[in-house]
Amino acid sequence: MSSQSRSVRVEATASGVLAGHFEAMASPCEVLVDGADASMLRGLTEQVAEEVWRIERHWSRYLPGNVVDCINRADGQPVEVDEETGRFLDYAARLWDISDGLFDITSGVLRRAFHFDGSDRLPSAEAVKALLPLVGWDKVQWQSPMLQLLPGMQIDFGGIGKEYAVDRACAIAASASGLPVLVNCGGDLASSASRTDGKPWMVGIDVQGMDVDAPVIALHRGGIASSGDVHRYLMKDGVRYPHVLDPRTGWPVTGGPRVVTVAAGSCTEAGVLSTLALLHGAKAAQFLNEFAAEAKVIW
């Protein structure tokens, strides 16, 4: 990231509320602290940004030399990981198990075939089939702190990394300030508590380009995350292919909702549920009902 992108600023929103701003994980990020003045908010935003940037440096698949890059370049050799990464790998293993393989951090290798740029350029069936032997958590050897992938396999924390960063950032700002905090990174949010007057934070859902009114979720405490094809998709012969891929087939799940937004106990939990809902396609709402999840599903 450039030095310019590593800056923070405090500005008033359209409604006159002060907000801290920075950029991370290819997303605009925002910090709201109910009751903080500009000086306090700037200091809290700097703390939040440093934590989010730390996690990005540590786990981004786009940055060379970090633990994810070392794992992905190991060519079948075992790699020793740090404690935080180990906990995340344990979490990913549990998600793979309880989702019957739908949530799989090894599926990122399918990006070699798919480029979700809004075009009609679908990969060939042969290209996708050739990558499937490199997908599957069941092919991974993981015994903390050692991780070993098959040659050519990769891991990608993209499905839960940003949400984890949001939860961490919110907890840090709330602890440092003792005030209600809302952290938003590219539409993934976490709140530490209701606002000082007891009212919830009102969170609008991004439905850019869709002919619907933007739904609003009232959030007291917890997290919100969205998954969908508003910005990243392919369109071929009238069929819209969302960017979330079924790791078992290698292909996007069609026929599902355009956007799924979930409110849960944490942003990380909300992100997992919204992603899995998309992967259930036409049965997304049924899946969310089984978890009794508060959600907005837009078709």
Side-chain angles (χ1 to χ4, degrees), residues 260-263 273-274 276-277 280 282-297 299:
V260 176
T261 300
V262 177
L273 289 174
S274 65
L276 286 175
H280 278 79
K283 296 181 179 180
Q286 178 182 334
F287 165 79
L288 291 167
N289 287 337
E290 291 175 358
F291 278 85
E294 181 184 355
K296 303 289 185 182
V297 181
W299 297 85

Side-chain angles (χ1 to χ4, degrees), residues 159-175:
I160 42 179
K162 184 169 69 169
E163 293 85 350
Y164 170 77
V166 169
D167 286 331
R168 287 277 305 156
C170 183
I172 286 172
S175 177

Side-chain angles (χ1 to χ4, degrees), residues 38-116:
S39 176
M40 180 182 187
L41 180 57
R42 181 175 183 84
L44 291 169
T45 302
E46 289 173 347
Q47 291 183 60
V48 163
E50 285 299 332
E51 177 65 2
V52 176
W53 290 333
R54 179 192 71 81
I55 293 170
E56 181 177 25
R57 288 192 303 269
H58 197 46
W59 286 339
S60 172
R61 67 176 184 264
Y62 300 110
L63 299 178
N66 64 19
V67 63
V68 171
D69 183 56
C70 290
I71 292 167
N72 291 344
R73 292 178 179 274
D75 195 29
Q77 296 300 308
V79 177
E80 183 173 354
V81 304
D82 60 277
E83 183 178 351
E84 185 179 31
T85 301
R87 291 196 304 270
F88 226 50
L89 289 169
D90 286 339
Y91 183 56
R94 289 196 300 273
L95 292 176
W96 179 86
D97 186 49
I98 65 175
S99 69
D100 293 326
L102 265 180
F103 201 103
D104 194 326
I105 63 170
T106 70
S107 63
V109 72
L110 294 167
R111 293 189 311 273
R112 296 176 185 172
F114 287 93
H115 304 281
F116 293 97

Side-chain angles (χ1 to χ4, degrees), residues 1 27-28 48 53-54 58 62 69 77 81 86 110 117 132 159 174 195 220 232 235 244-245 258 274 279:
M1 301 177 71
S27 301
V48 163
W53 290 333
R54 179 192 71 81
H58 197 46
Y62 300 110
D69 183 56
Q77 296 300 308
V81 304
L110 294 167
D117 55 6
L132 284 179
R195 303 192 64 174
H220 285 277
R232 296 175 61 201
M235 182 73 78
V244 179
L245 300 169
R258 294 286 308 279
S274 65
L279 284 166

Side-chain angles (χ1 to χ4, degrees), residues 246-263:
D246 186 330
R248 301 169 303 184
T249 67
W251 288 90
V253 179
T254 58
R258 294 286 308 279
V259 178
V260 176
T261 300
V262 177

Side-chain angles (χ1 to χ4, degrees), residues 93-280:
R94 289 196 300 273
L95 292 176
W96 179 86
D97 186 49
I98 65 175
S99 69
D100 293 326
L102 265 180
F103 201 103
D104 194 326
I105 63 170
T106 70
S107 63
V109 72
L110 294 167
R111 293 189 311 273
R112 296 176 185 172
F114 287 93
H115 304 281
F116 293 97
D117 55 6
S119 70
D120 64 353
R121 295 189 293 271
L122 280 177
S124 67
E126 292 76 13
V128 175
K129 185 178 180 180
L131 291 172
L132 284 179
L134 302 178
V135 178
W137 180 258
D138 55 327
K139 301 168 186 173
V140 173
Q141 295 184 46
W142 164 237
Q143 182 62 52
S144 184
M146 303 304 296
L147 178 73
Q148 187 171 14
L149 309 181
L150 297 179
M153 288 186 72
Q154 297 182 356
I155 65 164
D156 180 359
F157 289 142
I160 42 179
K162 184 169 69 169
E163 293 85 350
Y164 170 77
V166 169
D167 286 331
R168 287 277 305 156
C170 183
I172 286 172
S175 177
S177 68
L179 295 169
V181 172
L182 181 78
V183 175
N184 174 11
C185 286
D188 294 323
L189 305 99
S191 167
S192 66
S194 305
R195 303 192 64 174
T196 52
D197 60 5
K199 295 181 179 179
W201 304 88
M202 304 307 293
V203 179
I205 299 170
D206 181 10
V207 290
Q208 179 181 330
M210 300 175 64
D211 189 21
V212 297
D213 294 331
V216 175
I217 291 180
L219 180 65
H220 285 277
R221 180 176 183 176
I224 291 177
S226 295
S227 296
D229 67 0
V230 174
H231 301 295
R232 296 175 61 201
Y233 63 92
L234 294 170
M235 182 73 78
K236 179 75 170 180
D237 298 330
V239 178
R240 193 178 183 99
Y241 295 85
H243 71 94
V244 179
L245 300 169
D246 186 330
R248 301 169 303 184
T249 67
W251 288 90
V253 179
T254 58
R258 294 286 308 279
V259 178
V260 176
T261 300
V262 177
S266 69
C267 187
T268 304
E269 181 184 351
V272 169
L273 289 174
S274 65
T275 298
L276 286 175
L278 272 192
L279 284 166
H280 278 79

